[in-house]
Amino acid sequence: MTWKPFPGAQEEFLRRREFEVLFGGAAGPGKTDCLVAGMARDVAHPKYRGLILRRTFPQLQEIMDRCHNLYPLMGGNWKATEKRWTFPSGATIDLGHMQHENDKYNYQGKEYVRIGFDELTHFTETQYTYLFSRARTTEPDLYPQVISSTNPGGLGHYWVKERFISPATAGTTFYDGQTGLSRIFVPATIEDNPALYDNDPAYLARLEALPEIEKMRLRHGIWDAFEGQIFTELSQRVHGINPFDVAPEWEKYCVLDWGFARPFSVGWYAVDYDGAIYRYREWYGCKEGEYNVGLKMQAWEVARGILEREDEKIRMRIADPSIWHPRPDNRRAEARGTTIYDDFASEGVYFTKADNERMHGKQQVHKRLRIESEIDKETGEVLTEHPMFYAFNDQDHFWRTIPMLQEDPKNPEDVDTDQEDYIYDEVRYMCMARPLLPKKQFKVPPGSFQAERDKLIRARKYAKRHGVSLTVGYNRTR
């Protein structure tokens, strides 16, 4: 029986004609089947050439299986040695992978009408955009297109989000200001694939049972949460604050994480009377339009840049301890002096060595982001709830990089240092300079509002767990 798309998101994806089309978000809407079907849209044309890509060869096996379910019904013939489907018209669809960055050059000189990326967030942005040069045709009744499917998460999460999710409302065509090329994101969830309900009715329950972050990502297709995300507490709604004039009396700090070929990060912080930290200014030494590429400014130039941006009294400057290390021969271009610190000092910019203990530093960042509750000691009522760290909303690089940080796959207690973690390191230095100490445990007064509220919550959990009424649960709960 020939595969047919369901009305709704599946049909919408297959009818789009924008140059770039991304389908999916959540798990279960039939993304891969739709991608395989979309790639076969023009196989009746003798000049049609298609290419379907996965990141690695083992991942490509799933695509091969899906193709074998559909393409023979269209007259397709599989040539295993070439990894190519040929059709009666003469049209072809190749299957390939790009495990390594330079594998993109394997497709140099080739021409495809339509290119499909399955699980787009597994690829780098440069791999994706390089293949644009392969999407072309001289046939007037064919049009070049790049179609993709994906879930949130993976190494490409941020660039895919910035390319498809952030610029425009889902389902709305966006035109690139530089190239004029069109793109669109077509969101979908399990509800868009009724066949899955019939074949596996428990699949939805399994999605609902996932840990919260994975459920947000796979059940609901939310791009602000993804597997491996380090700082799940961070929310611009909670921790972001509109810029304001910082009180002159608040203590102020300047913190540096050094970089040359990679970005440097300078952050300015203020501490209010309650000990909350505000990151009120940033200077991120990143090449415009290129992530994770430094400005290659020498240390004395950065020192002058810091002084130019400051007009307030700074209590202390804190820096990455590596700037005190003598530089090897291959890093002589970073400064004029023996050490990077020598250049800063020669310009009148003096630093204190940061506490670079990574595990404790990460714990301090978590503590700062956690919501603190102020409880009335007499009534036990929650008076206020607030974090101990804020960042101004105009700090684009902070809000671009920190939420996207993922855990180190080899050490889940640390941040993966292969990412753009320079602002995080700078934030960590600041948190270690003003560590939050464990609070004295406050016992909620018996009979208070807070005590009764806590007991009611425990009673509800007990009643649900043991299948009894709330009244019984309340009486059995201390």
Side-chain angles (χ1 to χ4, degrees):
M1 184 176 69
T2 304
W3 181 89
K4 290 182 63 176
F6 287 103
Q10 291 189 357
E11 283 188 348
E12 179 68 9
F13 169 66
L14 293 175
R15 79 174 187 84
R16 300 311 306 190
R17 295 297 183 266
E18 287 82 358
F19 177 67
E20 298 175 68
V21 185
L22 176 66
F23 181 58
K31 297 185 299 295
T32 302
D33 284 337
C34 284
L35 183 75
V36 168
M39 290 300 301
R41 185 187 300 152
D42 294 308
V43 293
H45 197 293
K47 297 295 184 180
Y48 176 75
R49 301 291 180 267
L51 171 66
I52 305 178
L53 292 163
R54 281 299 303 259
R55 186 64 194 261
T56 68
F57 180 74
Q59 294 169 345
L60 191 64
Q61 185 61 51
E62 182 185 0
I63 294 291
M64 293 180 183
D65 295 341
R66 302 293 181 94
C67 291
H68 273 89
N69 292 336
L70 178 62
Y71 291 171
L73 301 176
M74 309 171 77
N77 180 45
W78 173 242
K79 296 184 177 180
T81 55
E82 301 176 30
K83 296 184 182 62
R84 172 176 292 177
W85 286 92
T86 60
F87 295 87
S89 67
T92 63
I93 297 178
D94 292 344
L95 273 59
H97 66 281
M98 291 193 292
Q99 181 170 354
H100 306 292
E101 178 66 29
N102 287 339
D103 287 346
K104 62 192 178 186
Y105 298 119
N106 293 340
Y107 302 96
Q108 190 170 0
K110 297 184 178 180
E111 180 179 304
Y112 299 100
V113 175
R114 187 169 294 114
I115 299 172
F117 288 83
D118 192 37
E119 293 298 346
L120 183 59
T121 56
H122 292 183
F123 295 85
T124 67
E125 186 171 19
T126 49
Q127 286 178 320
Y128 177 71
T129 55
Y130 177 80
L131 267 292
F132 284 11
S133 63
R134 307 300 99 207
R136 57 190 178 182
T137 182
T138 57
E139 298 298 315
D141 50 346
L142 293 175
Y143 55 94
Q145 195 177 33
V146 179
I147 63 175
S148 308
S149 67
T150 199
N151 295 320
L155 66 87
H157 176 97
Y158 177 75
W159 75 259
V160 173
K161 181 173 181 283
E162 287 297 295
R163 191 174 191 89
F164 288 96
I165 313 304
S166 300
T169 306
T172 303
T173 304
F174 172 77
Y175 292 90
D176 189 287
Q178 293 184 328
T179 65
L181 295 174
S182 59
R183 71 178 78 118
I184 191 171
F185 169 57
V186 180
T189 63
I190 186 176
E191 284 80 6
D192 294 300
N193 188 15
L196 193 54
Y197 285 121
D198 299 333
N199 296 326
D200 190 0
Y203 184 67
L204 179 58
R206 294 198 295 274
L207 289 178
E208 293 288 355
L210 288 170
E212 190 60 28
I213 291 297
E214 292 182 60
K215 184 170 76 171
M216 292 171 67
R217 181 174 63 91
L218 296 177
R219 170 68 182 93
H220 303 292
I222 296 175
W223 285 79
D224 292 329
F226 56 92
E227 186 179 6
Q229 187 177 17
I230 281 282
F231 299 111
T232 58
E233 315 97 319
L234 181 63
S235 165
Q236 193 162 1
R237 181 181 60 82
V238 175
H239 301 91
I241 191 167
N242 290 329
F244 62 88
D245 293 331
V246 178
E249 300 83 9
W250 291 4
E251 290 183 348
K252 299 177 183 66
Y253 297 77
C254 174
V255 187
L256 165 74
D257 185 64
W258 174 251
F260 184 71
R262 297 298 186 189
F264 64 79
S265 181
V266 186
W268 283 264
Y269 299 83
V271 182
D272 70 11
Y273 301 119
D274 296 320
I277 292 175
Y278 294 77
R279 190 175 189 266
Y280 64 90
R281 183 189 299 140
E282 74 173 4
W283 180 24
Y284 192 55
C286 182
K287 194 172 181 180
E288 187 175 355
E290 295 186 44
Y291 304 132
N292 212 16
V293 179
L295 297 177
K296 294 188 176 180
M297 292 176 64
Q298 288 194 315
W300 63 270
E301 295 178 287
V302 177
R304 292 182 183 180
I306 289 174
L307 294 176
E308 288 171 0
R309 288 164 172 78
E310 287 179 355
D311 58 2
E312 67 271 44
K313 181 180 178 181
I314 301 297
R315 180 182 184 275
M316 182 187 297
R317 291 193 180 92
I318 304 163
D320 170 5
S322 69
I323 71 170
W324 278 268
H325 299 164
R327 289 169 297 114
D329 291 338
N330 63 345
R331 294 182 58 186
R332 290 293 178 189
E334 297 183 27
R336 297 177 299 192
T338 304
T339 68
I340 292 165
Y341 178 75
D342 291 339
D343 267 29
F344 280 103
S346 69
E347 297 293 331
V349 178
Y350 302 95
F351 288 100
T352 299
K353 287 185 181 180
D355 185 336
N356 198 23
E357 215 294 314
R358 296 188 64 85
M359 297 300 104
H360 290 162
K362 176 174 172 288
Q363 292 170 9
Q364 282 296 322
V365 176
H366 279 298
K367 287 181 179 179
R368 286 280 174 183
L369 296 177
R370 197 172 298 139
I371 302 297
E372 295 283 330
S373 298
E374 183 181 345
I375 300 175
D376 189 301
K377 293 184 179 180
E378 294 184 0
T379 66
E381 183 179 359
V382 177
L383 300 177
T384 61
E385 292 182 317
H386 57 84
M388 295 298 286
F389 181 93
Y390 297 92
F392 281 12
N393 285 324
D394 61 356
Q395 296 176 14
D396 295 339
H397 292 290
F398 176 92
W399 292 111
R400 175 176 69 82
T401 60
I402 300 294
M404 297 298 112
L405 291 175
Q406 294 182 269
E407 62 189 26
D408 187 337
K410 297 179 181 178
N411 180 14
E413 296 301 314
D414 199 4
V415 171
D416 188 346
T417 56
D418 289 335
Q419 305 166 96
E420 222 175 327
D421 63 343
Y422 317 106
I423 293 179
Y424 161 69
D425 285 339
E426 168 228 300
V427 170
R428 177 166 56 85
Y429 301 152
M430 180 63 207
C431 290
M432 287 295 282
R434 292 294 299 260
L436 286 175
L437 302 176
K439 287 190 175 182
K440 184 179 179 180
Q441 291 295 319
F442 167 65
K443 189 174 182 180
V444 177
S448 68
F449 171 82
Q450 184 67 30
E452 291 301 312
R453 178 176 178 271
D454 291 345
K455 184 177 180 180
L456 179 61
I457 292 172
R458 292 195 298 274
R460 284 174 175 166
K461 290 181 179 178
Y462 182 95
K464 183 177 181 180
R465 184 166 60 249
H466 296 280
V468 299
S469 68
L470 180 60
T471 301
V472 172
Y474 191 85
N475 291 331
R476 294 181 182 177
T477 303
R478 290 187 175 184

